[in-house]
Amino acid sequence: MPSSFVLVYHRSPFDEVIDADGNRSWQDQKSPNGIIPTLRNLFRDHPSGTWIAWRQDEDNNGEDETTVIEEPLTIRLRRIPLQQQQISSFYHVTSKESAWPILHTFPSHFNVNNADWATFQEVNRRFAEAACNEAAPGACIWVHDYNLWLAPGYIRQQRPDVKVGFFHHTPFPSADVFGILPWREEIISSLLACDVVGFHIPRYAENFSRAASSLLAVERGPREKVSSHFLRHGSALAQPDCTPWIRYQGRTVQLVSTPVGTSPEVIQALRDSAHVQDLIKDIERDTKKGRKLIISASRVDYTKGNEELLLAYERLLERRPEMHGDVVLMLACVAANTGMKVYEDTQRSIEETVGRINGRFGRIDWVPIRLTTQRIPYEEIVAWFAASDICWITPLRDGLNLVAKEYVAARKGQGGSLVLSEFTGASVVVDGAILTNPYSHRRMDEAIDAALMMPVDEQRARMERMERAVDTLSVANWASEQLNALEH
């Protein structure tokens, strides 16, 4: 049956598992706060919906596979067969080597020489065709993230009757930086085929609006004050007002800013569970030992600022010898699995810096930094958040950063300090964080000193403000606001 709601995202809602006898099952993911668990929960309210994803298939003549997942949640899934070479070209090369550094304002890492735009177009066209084939008359089609930039334009060509939405999960850079991409007009034109284009924060929406007006003959709506949820002044990504809509070729496109959130009640229930409480006790006994515990969690990526954070920690140990033995940094930095040289070099630099700092300052009874590049089970990372006095999250650029929100949810009622880069989307919604500039040694040094010395009363007051923001701007709020704009 045709679907009234079609969700387009490159990954499947569950991981496919084939046992030794060839039987297929679908495996749930552990984290309740990743984007995939969030998106699949939408199908509880859209039981007749369809999810469009890819699957790897080396058959040149492979056809789309449609199946209905019954457990753990009923979802109709249509998967497009892509060969490994197509996946590598579309996702790892064109998306990650060309688009990713521009979106995060790292033009020095931009590499267009290996990009295969024809393959990118073909993969986007196949996603669009699958969505159109599944969509009922007047259906809502919601497309996700920059690697499917072109899908809305192809959908509109085939199905002028449907409503099309797009959500941009990364930053959207300033118009001059975005203009570096050779395919800039095609990307903007495709997004302007939507009814709604969503972003985490108003600054990204305004950057998109300006890019559109610099490249195409569009009409921009009169600027409006941004919601009181967002910081309007005083930080790098603060934005006082924003363009609410763009009109192009007779179509009005709404620009809607809603930050993805967490599920605070899920995190708190997990924190209070017997298993996680036991993990917290293990951390306090084996690592914390009465010390100040700092947690930082991210991926191995040049945008995440891990090396800058480590150098700031080294400067802390240099200028404050009285802290030796009384502070420990837990750096959970998940390694990339793409085989890209830039990520391999970044991981090597992180590991070498950690080794040097531990060798320089460590003692028999104290290792200054604990590093893991392995993925930590979600229950364990919640335990680390709950046990940590400080969360230090200072990417050089990040679309939002859910780790900051997860830390706040896990520390509810307990105090604690959040040191947050002002170049994260979260910096304009989590009121109470200690904002810092990771490009400045002085600002980084001042921020970690402030976190270490902050009185308990101030910690609690700041944490209460952050808790209100995290509770209000939850993942449920994000989905509701974006879909309401699309469906109505």
Side-chain angles (χ1 to χ4, degrees):
M1 294 291 293
S3 298
S4 61
F5 174 71
V6 179
L7 189 142
V8 187
Y9 186 63
H10 67 276
R11 290 179 59 192
S12 296
F14 297 98
D15 295 331
E16 183 181 27
V17 178
I18 307 294
D19 65 20
D21 298 324
N23 299 313
R24 179 168 65 180
S25 61
W26 300 93
Q27 182 173 296
D28 199 358
Q29 297 182 342
K30 295 299 183 182
S31 169
N33 289 303
I35 189 60
I36 288 180
T38 296
L39 294 177
R40 72 185 183 212
N41 280 338
L42 298 176
F43 286 78
R44 299 184 188 278
D45 297 324
H46 300 84
S48 65
T50 299
W51 183 306
I52 310 293
W54 78 34
R55 76 178 196 276
Q56 185 175 337
D57 187 339
E58 299 305 317
D59 184 355
N60 284 326
N61 299 313
E63 297 183 352
D64 291 4
E65 174 199 62
T66 302
T67 187
V68 176
I69 300 173
E70 300 288 353
E71 293 291 340
L73 177 67
T74 301
I75 295 179
R76 177 179 168 86
L77 174 65
R78 181 168 181 150
R79 295 195 297 172
I80 300 161
L82 296 180
Q83 296 176 309
Q84 178 56 47
Q85 183 277 332
Q86 290 175 301
I87 295 172
S88 177
S89 172
F90 151 74
Y91 189 73
H92 297 306
V93 178
T94 304
S95 295
K96 286 294 187 181
E97 292 186 8
S98 295
W100 182 265
I102 294 303
L103 289 171
H104 291 80
T105 317
F106 279 83
S108 61
H109 288 275
F110 172 64
N111 182 359
V112 74
N113 297 319
N114 296 325
D116 180 357
W117 192 242
T119 297
F120 190 91
Q121 291 171 314
E122 174 59 22
V123 171
N124 273 255
R125 187 178 293 111
R126 294 180 67 180
F127 271 94
E129 289 172 351
C132 291
N133 288 335
E134 290 290 336
C140 290
I141 301 178
W142 199 15
V143 185
H144 285 264
D145 225 0
Y146 70 102
N147 46 45
L148 293 174
W149 266 331
L150 303 185
Y154 295 139
I155 291 169
R156 184 62 66 198
Q157 291 170 11
Q158 298 177 55
R159 294 291 303 272
D161 62 297
V162 300
K163 295 181 179 179
V164 184
F166 186 94
F167 192 84
H168 214 283
H169 291 272
T170 70
F172 198 95
S174 60
D176 57 324
V177 174
F178 180 78
I180 294 172
L181 290 175
W183 323 284
R184 56 197 187 182
E185 287 92 349
E186 187 176 352
I187 295 165
I188 294 292
S189 294
S190 175
L191 294 178
L192 292 179
C194 293
D195 296 281
V196 177
V197 181
F199 302 89
H200 287 298
I201 61 172
R203 171 60 64 82
Y204 304 155
E206 190 61 19
N207 284 349
F208 172 76
S209 170
R210 291 178 178 179
S213 64
S214 71
L215 295 170
L216 300 172
V218 304
E219 176 189 353
R220 298 166 65 191
R223 295 156 72 93
E224 298 177 354
K225 280 189 176 181
V226 304
S227 166
S228 59
H229 296 316
F230 299 108
L231 185 67
R232 294 175 178 171
H233 304 282
S235 184
L237 296 184
Q239 182 74 32
D241 49 31
C242 193
T243 302
W245 54 263
I246 296 176
R247 189 168 290 127
Y248 180 63
Q249 295 185 341
R251 177 175 301 283
T252 299
V253 184
Q254 295 183 68
L255 305 183
V256 180
S257 300
T258 320
V260 171
T262 65
S263 298
E265 68 286 349
V266 173
I267 295 175
Q268 287 146 21
L270 196 57
R271 177 197 67 188
D272 296 337
S273 67
H275 175 57
V276 173
Q277 286 295 312
D278 287 342
L279 291 174
I280 292 170
K281 291 175 184 175
D282 291 343
I283 293 168
E284 290 174 341
R285 182 188 65 246
D286 299 334
T287 301
K288 196 170 183 180
K289 298 180 179 178
R291 305 178 178 114
K292 288 275 190 179
L293 176 59
I294 304 171
I295 180 73
S296 187
S298 66
R299 298 194 317 274
V300 173
D301 191 304
Y302 55 84
T303 68
K304 298 300 183 181
N306 292 297
E307 294 150 291
E308 287 78 6
L309 182 149
L310 287 169
L311 293 176
Y313 187 65
E314 182 175 32
R315 293 194 301 272
L316 170 71
L317 299 180
E318 286 173 346
R319 72 177 185 277
R320 299 191 60 183
E322 74 277 9
M323 298 296 298
H324 294 187
D326 289 335
V327 63
V328 61
L329 169 64
M330 169 60 175
L331 179 58
C333 192
V334 180
N337 57 6
T338 64
M340 290 173 60
K341 184 176 184 300
V342 65
Y343 292 140
E344 293 170 355
D345 291 345
T346 301
Q347 181 169 341
R348 185 180 307 109
S349 176
I350 291 168
E351 291 170 346
E352 289 174 353
T353 303
V354 169
R356 177 171 55 76
I357 294 171
N358 281 341
R360 181 181 176 192
F361 295 102
R363 305 191 307 224
I364 291 295
D365 61 344
W366 172 60
V367 178
I369 305 170
R370 290 191 58 176
L371 169 68
T372 178
T373 58
Q374 303 300 310
R375 188 172 298 279
I376 298 176
Y378 197 72
E379 294 85 350
E380 187 175 341
I381 199 66
V382 169
W384 281 100
F385 288 151
S388 296
D389 303 286
I390 296 167
C391 184
W392 196 355
I393 305 294
T394 49
L396 302 177
R397 182 75 63 172
D398 208 341
L400 184 72
N401 196 283
L402 277 177
V403 169
K405 291 188 168 188
E406 290 170 335
Y407 174 74
V408 171
R411 290 289 297 185
K412 187 168 187 175
Q414 296 179 286
S417 298
L418 172 63
V419 178
L420 185 62
S421 166
E422 60 180 320
F423 297 101
T424 65
S427 68
V428 299
V429 294
V430 185
D431 178 31
I434 301 170
L435 299 185
T436 189
N437 181 347
Y439 293 92
S440 166
H441 288 188
R442 181 178 61 82
R443 290 287 304 277
M444 285 283 275
D445 294 348
E446 290 172 350
I448 193 60
D449 280 345
L452 287 165
M453 303 305 293
M454 186 179 292
V456 174
D457 288 348
E458 183 180 352
Q459 289 182 35
R460 292 189 182 278
R462 284 173 172 262
M463 189 62 73
E464 286 175 3
R465 299 205 305 274
M466 291 191 284
E467 288 166 7
R468 287 195 293 272
V470 168
D471 289 345
T472 300
L473 298 174
S474 66
V475 69
N477 174 80
W478 167 75
S480 174
E481 190 166 316
Q482 290 291 323
L483 281 180
N484 281 342
L486 177 61
E487 294 173 344
H488 301 102

